[in-house]
Amino acid sequence: MKVAMIGWEYPPFKTGGLGTHCYGLTRGLADKDVDVDFYMPKTSKKSISDKDNLHIIEVGEASIYPYDRPEDSELEGNFFESVYRYNDLIVKKVKGNYDVIHCHDWLTMKAGIQLKEKLGVPLVVSVHSTEYDRSGWLYPNQWFIDIEKEGMEKADIIIAVSNFTKRILIEKYNIPEGKIHVVHNAVYRLGRGEKQDIVLFLGRLTIQKGPEFFLKAAKKILDNSEEKPTFVVAGKGEMLSRLINQSVDLGISQHIMFTGLLTEEEVEHIYRIARVYVMPSVSEPFGITALEAISAGTPVVVSKTAGVAEALINCLRVDFWDVDEIANKIISLLKYDVLHSTISAEGEKECDLFTWDGVADETIQVYQGVI
Amino acid sequence: MTSVCFYFEVHQPMRLNRFSVFNIGKTSSPFEYFDNQLNEKIFHKVANKCYLPTNKLLLDLIDQHDKKFRISYSLTGTFIEYCQKHVPEIIDSFKDLVGTGAVDLIEETYFHSLSGLYNDLTEFEEQVYLHNAMVKDLFHVTPKVFRNTEAIYDNRIAKKVADMGYKGIITEGAKKILDWRSPNYIYKAVDNDLKVLLRNYMLSDDIGFRFSAQGWTGFPLTADKYSSWMAQNQGDLINLFMDYETFGEHHWQDTGIFEFLKHLPENVLNHEHMDFVTVREAVEKYEPRGTIDVPWAISWADEDRDVSTWLGNDMQRACFQELQDLGPHIKKEKNHEKLDAWRKLQTSDHLYYISTKGFEDGAVHSYFSHYDNPYDGFINYMNILQDFKQGMKPKP
């Protein structure tokens, strides 16, 4: 079986879960003797493959960060132009005998649709996030929605990363239920480190990820309990300056550490040494970071509106807006050692169920259904 | 002759309010721990689906079969308190049942607690006396047979129960204590003459767990088929012990569970070598055929048939320890309200919700739990225990 896979990020260049997914999936597929050509935009850090049947093919010069929300002024500017240019280049470059085309998220969908017609092979579309998620359900942009909808409609089958996302596709994009197949994400286990008094937020600093609720919970904890951990906000994004101001206004800035964007090694390190990981996302299709944290023995407090909350048993679930309950759960993890050790041990064990090998198996089944 | 001993456990826990760490040290009364609204709602639901219709059906069946259909109940103190508060007619219908002379009552700890596993058995004894007084007061019955919470049993508990004057005790017919032996006989405890009734878990679970399982080879289970299975059993006694909520609540009415029950007595009595006995009659009628030795506690729960359902992980053991440690302090205070709340916190269900056991059993646990998962159960319960503990400290 030969697959033309179209993405837009791949380690070492990676801004979110999609890059992690593409890495795990393509390697899992290659190990199962599926030939994979992975097409992506050219990046400053060249991606390479050490497997004979997995080729990483960089196309053109575009550097695009599709998770970033374009400013209004840019809406008709470079951002969209480079997207179109990338898609056009892909359509020109992808040639050969493929059994299936597999696209990831809106950025690649235009190319996927055209390639389906050009090569006459089935199109599989993976949805890792929708415009509704990325906008935090506040003013979703119709331009993205239209592209996503067209891609989903033209796809022969859709892979959604969670039932949470599947419901959005059914309700907001009118996609028939039978066309959507859920495949949960997986994790390469990190292993634990020496825990320090750190409560961690890690993610893009956008409305979608709910960092302001993390700061409010920190305030509640610092004001009302004996626990005085360091609250680390790792990542960058358009909300950074607002969040720094918020922590000053709340009078807790001496307990908050903004790290900016961390390297891969730094990310792994902080997962290992954090005592608690918090993911208060407003709308999170999956949330691989929660799996990465628990794979490092760090218990996670996750939003109920996150795909991982439906997949991971050993976690603490909260409503993202319920700051008191987020604080209650964080304090409980800091205060009750038996809670921390049990959830940490059980969660680490549970990570064995989330393998890229399994994701590859399920994805092959999806391919076989349309070939 | 083979006697069928049919016994039902009737219990409802006092479920807890949501109690965050920020509530610790701020309660004015321990009654704030309990979620009265949720408890009342669930009780009314179960009363209508199970207690009222099943009581009525069983009363009719006893009449119809001229008291040849005989059964036993164990009613916990918390259950009776619910009845008194919300649906008193349930107590009346139990009085009617006991009044037929075909119904016996079983002793247990008033609060359905794990006090039988405490280092010091004083609290256990007090809870049994409370239950004894309640049964005597309401139903004018003095039970002769004891059943510990969730059929938890070991040699130490048996000795204590024998010392307290009971003639029999009920526990699980677990393979690990019986080995090749059949549960269909009476046994005796080691070092004393307490008779032990052992639950036939195959036949009991056919009703309790498998009745509505469509993938099961016995499905659909009819009273006729079930009675013929029982008739093929060798032995003196078939002990069928199950939760009363089996009827109408675990298996809803539309599964046909009431039809099954309705036809069970006639189908059993059609076999000439079979009859029904109460637990009291069982221990009077039959003599022990062997001794059972149980150094480590067994129970009727989960696949493991031990106490790991309540004390299987560190969170459960930590709560259990806190709970036990509170005892001497609370008793010194002589505050009735606090003592009562502490005892209601001892109900085993609170620890059951914190179980993290494997998927198969875990599925059963989550069916019975109002928490999102065991960790939420722990946080809530532990927060309450911490508040309770703070309330114990001498005020400056």
Side-chain angles (χ1 to χ4, degrees):
Chain A
M1 191 189 299
K2 194 168 180 188
V3 183
M5 197 176 291
I6 302 159
W8 45 259
E9 60 171 17
Y10 199 90
F13 169 78
K14 152 167 115 71
T15 60
L18 194 145
T20 309
H21 176 94
C22 288
Y23 182 77
L25 173 64
T26 52
R27 296 179 73 81
L29 288 172
D31 287 342
K32 291 178 188 299
D33 294 330
V34 176
D35 295 320
V36 183
D37 288 347
F38 186 83
Y39 294 88
M40 64 178 291
K42 203 174 216 67
T43 64
S44 50
K45 305 170 188 166
K46 191 167 168 50
S47 302
I48 44 161
S49 159
D50 55 0
K51 292 182 191 291
D52 291 342
N53 56 343
L54 167 61
H55 303 106
I56 313 294
I57 302 165
E58 295 191 349
V59 174
E61 82 297 345
S63 258
I64 313 162
Y65 300 89
Y67 283 157
D68 287 354
R69 314 270 319 141
E71 299 294 329
D72 277 347
S73 56
E74 278 184 63
L75 265 182
E76 285 160 28
N78 293 333
F79 183 82
F80 295 98
E81 245 170 57
S82 57
V83 170
Y84 284 124
R85 203 159 54 238
Y86 174 57
N87 277 276
D88 289 345
L89 273 170
I90 287 283
V91 175
K92 266 184 227 150
K93 282 268 179 164
V94 177
K95 284 181 206 140
N97 292 322
Y98 291 109
D99 296 301
V100 66
I101 299 164
H102 188 168
C103 282
H104 294 272
D105 270 8
W106 70 268
L107 196 144
T108 61
M109 283 183 188
K110 285 220 170 282
I113 294 164
Q114 286 185 47
L115 283 171
K116 176 183 171 169
E117 282 167 21
K118 180 178 149 188
L119 304 178
V121 293
L123 172 64
V124 176
V125 162
S126 279
V127 179
H128 301 265
S129 80
T130 68
E131 173 59 11
Y132 293 94
D133 302 305
R134 290 185 302 270
S135 65
W137 296 78
L138 295 168
Y139 312 112
N141 185 320
Q142 197 60 37
W143 189 82
F144 296 107
I145 292 172
D146 289 343
I147 292 180
E148 288 172 336
K149 190 164 160 56
E150 191 191 0
M152 292 175 202
E153 283 168 352
K154 296 272 166 68
D156 293 273
I157 197 151
I158 298 166
I159 294 174
V161 290
S162 61
N163 288 301
F164 172 77
T165 294
K166 180 176 174 173
R167 278 192 298 277
I168 294 175
L169 303 195
I170 295 167
E171 283 163 22
K172 303 304 289 186
Y173 293 85
N174 283 318
I175 304 298
E177 190 178 348
K179 199 173 154 178
I180 310 165
H181 193 96
V182 171
V183 179
H184 287 132
N185 273 307
V187 68
Y188 292 114
R189 282 175 64 162
L190 292 174
R192 56 180 61 221
E194 188 76 28
K195 298 294 176 200
Q196 299 179 15
D197 268 342
I198 291 172
V199 179
L200 175 66
F201 173 97
L202 191 149
R204 274 172 295 108
L205 306 180
T206 61
I207 293 272
Q208 181 195 356
K209 302 288 177 180
E212 72 271 32
F213 302 107
F214 179 74
L215 291 185
K216 285 182 188 162
K219 167 76 175 166
K220 177 90 187 177
I221 292 163
L222 292 165
D223 283 359
N224 295 283
S225 82
E226 294 151 13
E227 310 292 338
K228 302 284 178 249
T230 302
F231 293 86
V232 172
V233 178
K236 62 166 195 173
E238 79 244 5
M239 283 176 76
L240 178 60
S241 59
R242 213 173 100 190
L243 292 167
I244 292 171
N245 288 336
Q246 188 189 352
S247 73
V248 173
D249 291 345
L250 292 171
I252 55 170
S253 54
Q254 70 275 30
H255 298 281
I256 312 286
M257 186 194 282
F258 290 92
T259 66
L261 193 65
L262 300 180
T263 64
E264 190 102 349
E265 291 73 31
E266 288 167 338
V267 167
E268 288 177 11
H269 179 67
I270 197 140
Y271 278 138
R272 290 192 180 104
I273 64 167
R275 204 173 295 282
V276 181
Y277 177 67
V278 187
M279 194 178 80
S281 296
V282 174
S283 189
E284 186 71 66
F286 190 81
I288 296 183
T289 56
L291 286 187
E292 289 170 335
I294 191 65
S295 85
T298 304
V300 297
V301 178
V302 298
S303 160
K304 289 175 188 168
T305 46
V308 69
E310 79 192 30
L312 181 68
I313 296 171
N314 293 288
C315 66
L316 298 177
R317 283 173 276 263
V318 290
D319 290 307
F320 66 86
W321 43 262
D322 191 349
V323 172
D324 286 1
E325 185 57 15
I326 295 172
N328 175 38
K329 290 195 161 142
I330 294 171
I331 295 177
S332 296
L333 282 166
L334 297 172
K335 184 179 159 90
Y336 303 130
D337 290 344
V338 286
L339 174 67
H340 191 282
S341 60
T342 309
I343 195 166
S344 166
E346 294 291 324
E348 240 186 320
K349 256 191 270 169
E350 196 189 347
C351 285
D352 288 343
L353 303 175
F354 295 93
T355 65
W356 291 112
D357 186 67
V359 171
D361 276 335
E362 287 179 63
T363 307
I364 288 170
Q365 275 182 27
V366 171
Y367 293 159
Q368 280 164 346
V370 291
I371 290 174
Chain B
M1 202 65 170
T2 303
S3 300
V4 177
C5 183
F6 220 150
Y7 137 67
F8 309 109
E9 170 67 22
V10 196
H11 167 61
Q12 282 295 323
M14 303 262 170
R15 292 165 201 83
L16 302 172
N17 252 324
R18 288 300 154 132
F19 199 93
S20 100
V21 287
F22 304 114
N23 296 118
I24 296 174
K26 290 180 189 154
T27 43
S28 52
S29 151
F31 291 124
E32 292 173 26
Y33 297 152
F34 304 99
D35 189 341
N36 295 328
Q37 235 179 330
L38 175 71
N39 285 329
E40 190 181 340
K41 198 177 117 197
I42 293 177
F43 193 77
H44 275 291
K45 191 186 83 179
V46 184
N48 289 323
K49 281 167 80 173
C50 167
Y51 304 140
L52 290 167
T54 316
N55 278 14
K56 186 177 179 311
L57 175 60
L58 291 173
L59 190 61
D60 290 349
L61 287 170
I62 289 166
D63 281 349
Q64 266 173 42
H65 294 281
D66 206 16
K67 298 175 192 179
K68 286 199 184 90
F69 180 49
R70 308 178 74 75
I71 54 177
S72 312
Y73 285 102
S74 187
L75 312 169
T76 67
T78 50
F79 169 78
I80 291 293
E81 287 187 23
Y82 272 119
C83 293
Q84 286 167 333
K85 205 167 161 193
H86 303 299
V87 195
E89 58 262 44
I90 297 176
I91 296 184
D92 296 335
S93 74
F94 274 115
K95 283 180 179 166
D96 292 343
L97 279 161
V98 173
T100 62
V103 173
D104 191 21
L105 295 177
I106 299 163
E107 200 85 279
E108 68 171 300
T109 62
Y110 186 98
F111 297 94
H112 197 270
S113 73
L114 299 182
S115 53
L117 299 172
Y118 292 177
N119 298 328
D120 177 352
L121 287 179
T122 316
E123 173 65 13
F124 171 77
E125 198 171 343
E126 286 175 23
Q127 290 192 19
V128 176
Y129 286 143
L130 282 171
H131 189 265
N132 185 272
M134 180 272 285
V135 171
K136 206 178 283 176
D137 181 45
L138 280 176
F139 304 103
H140 312 296
V141 170
T142 302
K144 284 287 162 219
V145 174
F146 179 84
R147 185 206 93 131
N148 196 22
T149 306
E150 307 286 357
I152 292 170
Y153 179 100
D154 61 21
N155 293 339
R156 189 178 80 133
I157 292 167
K159 168 99 177 38
K160 182 76 189 173
V161 170
D163 288 349
M164 290 170 76
Y166 295 94
K167 301 294 174 215
I169 189 167
I170 289 167
T171 189
E172 177 75 357
K175 256 210 154 54
K176 58 184 156 191
I177 59 163
L178 282 172
D179 197 8
W180 55 271
R181 299 180 294 181
S182 161
N184 300 344
Y185 294 97
I186 291 226
Y187 292 83
K188 69 178 275 302
V190 283
D191 304 332
N192 62 67
D193 291 330
L194 190 68
K195 289 180 176 175
V196 184
L197 297 173
L198 295 172
R199 177 173 175 266
N200 183 316
Y201 66 82
M202 283 297 285
L203 285 164
S204 298
D205 290 347
D206 284 341
I207 305 178
F209 289 154
R210 291 181 282 271
F211 182 80
S212 52
Q214 299 200 5
W216 172 46
T217 49
F219 185 87
L221 188 62
T222 60
D224 177 37
K225 192 196 291 182
Y226 188 72
S227 304
S228 68
W229 290 351
M230 281 202 284
Q232 290 160 20
N233 267 250
Q234 305 274 323
D236 293 335
L237 190 64
I238 298 173
N239 293 307
L240 302 176
F241 304 154
M242 62 198 72
D243 284 338
Y244 201 35
E245 294 79 11
T246 298
F247 304 96
E249 169 61 23
H250 302 343
H251 305 297
W252 291 7
Q253 187 184 3
D254 60 14
T255 62
I257 190 78
F258 288 116
E259 276 303 297
F260 170 83
L261 188 56
K262 194 172 159 188
H263 296 287
L264 191 62
E266 63 186 71
N267 276 284
V268 169
L269 295 170
N270 279 344
H271 295 272
E272 279 185 358
H273 71 290
M274 296 212 313
D275 66 358
F276 288 98
V277 292
T278 65
V279 289
R280 187 185 307 253
E281 290 156 354
V283 296
E284 281 166 1
K285 192 170 171 183
Y286 296 108
E287 287 307 314
R289 297 293 187 96
T291 303
I292 65 156
D293 183 7
V294 187
W296 293 284
I298 59 162
S299 80
W300 73 352
D302 291 347
E303 281 300 308
D304 298 325
R305 303 291 203 274
D306 57 16
V307 295
S308 62
T309 305
W310 307 276
L311 300 172
N313 65 40
D314 290 343
M315 300 186 295
Q316 293 173 309
R317 289 189 285 268
C319 292
F320 183 70
Q321 196 57 48
E322 287 280 356
L323 196 60
Q324 218 180 135
D325 291 348
L326 283 167
H329 304 286
I330 288 168
K331 287 189 176 168
K332 249 182 250 158
E333 283 204 16
K334 303 204 185 310
N335 175 327
H336 179 74
E337 196 178 81
K338 277 188 186 168
L339 183 62
D340 187 56
W342 175 59
R343 286 177 164 165
K344 284 181 175 136
L345 290 172
Q346 290 180 53
T347 298
S348 65
D349 304 66
H350 304 307
L351 286 166
Y352 178 86
Y353 302 137
I354 306 174
S355 174
T356 47
K357 287 175 75 174
F359 184 69
E360 192 113 337
D361 288 338
V364 176
H365 291 198
S366 56
Y367 170 79
F368 288 105
S369 178
H370 55 293
Y371 294 110
D372 185 30
N373 62 27
Y375 306 116
D376 279 19
F378 169 81
I379 292 172
N380 213 56
Y381 187 47
M382 194 49 134
N383 285 345
I384 285 173
L385 293 175
Q386 294 306 310
D387 181 73
F388 210 111
K389 199 157 126 186
Q390 282 203 8
M392 287 294 107
K393 284 182 191 149
K395 303 266 173 343

